[in-house]
Amino acid sequence: EPVSAESEFETCHHTHGKDESAFHAYFVHPLLHCLKTAAFVLVVNFLLRTVIYLVGEDKFNAFLSGAGYLQPVVCALVGLIPNCGASVLLVGVYRTGSLTFGGLAAGLIANAGVGLALLFKHKGGILTALAVVAVMFVTGAAVGGAITAICAAF
């Protein structure tokens, strides 16, 4: 079902009134939403890079290369990090040769970027959001596992 402007405003945490100026409705509120999203992305990027720095890129690469057939499962979990940085990380590890194509596919299939954060923020319910995440994870891990098995056969 398409999202109407009224229902979009209902999911917003600001008060929107019929007498609100066009400037506030179409500039101030979208700007505030943009800044909140940018702050979220910045924090998640910082945390992700801090964890990788503390663990060490070499240890992370070694862990992924040693994961064998569980690599798609691990990569699908990495893909669930609500940030585009997770996909950049996976591609970088793939380029070093520490990650199989199946692992890369699993992580990228499970990745929805910041969309996951918005999914949990929406009023649709936590169970629906968890179901979506579960489907993304299982699909990514299954497809990645299948690709890994096919590549191993050749």
Side-chain angles (χ1 to χ4, degrees):
E1 169 178 321
V3 177
S4 67
E6 292 81 17
S7 66
E8 184 64 25
F9 282 147
E10 288 172 8
T11 63
C12 179
H13 295 290
H14 303 289
T15 344
H16 296 280
K18 295 189 189 261
D19 57 344
E20 183 178 56
S21 74
F23 178 75
H24 276 81
Y26 297 109
F27 182 74
V28 174
H29 293 302
L31 179 63
L32 291 174
H33 287 288
C34 180
L35 291 174
K36 286 179 185 177
T37 302
F40 175 78
V41 169
L42 181 67
V43 167
V44 173
N45 264 338
F46 177 76
L47 293 175
L48 180 63
R49 292 307 304 171
T50 301
V51 168
I52 291 171
Y53 175 77
L54 293 174
V55 170
E57 287 186 41
D58 293 338
K59 287 182 182 178
F60 184 74
N61 290 353
F63 171 73
L64 284 179
S65 64
Y69 285 102
L70 290 178
Q71 193 179 74
V73 174
V74 173
C75 290
L77 285 173
V78 171
L80 292 177
I81 297 171
N83 191 314
C84 58
S87 59
V88 172
L89 171 71
L90 290 171
V91 170
V93 174
Y94 175 75
R95 290 182 64 196
T96 67
S98 299
L99 185 63
T100 64
F101 180 69
L104 176 66
L108 295 179
I109 289 170
N111 190 288
V114 182
L116 284 180
L118 296 176
L119 180 67
F120 279 94
K121 184 179 173 185
H122 193 271
K123 295 179 182 178
I126 189 101
L127 292 179
T128 302
L130 289 173
V132 170
V133 169
V135 167
M136 288 171 52
F137 171 73
V138 169
T139 302
V143 171
I147 291 171
T148 300
I150 291 169
C151 290
F154 294 103

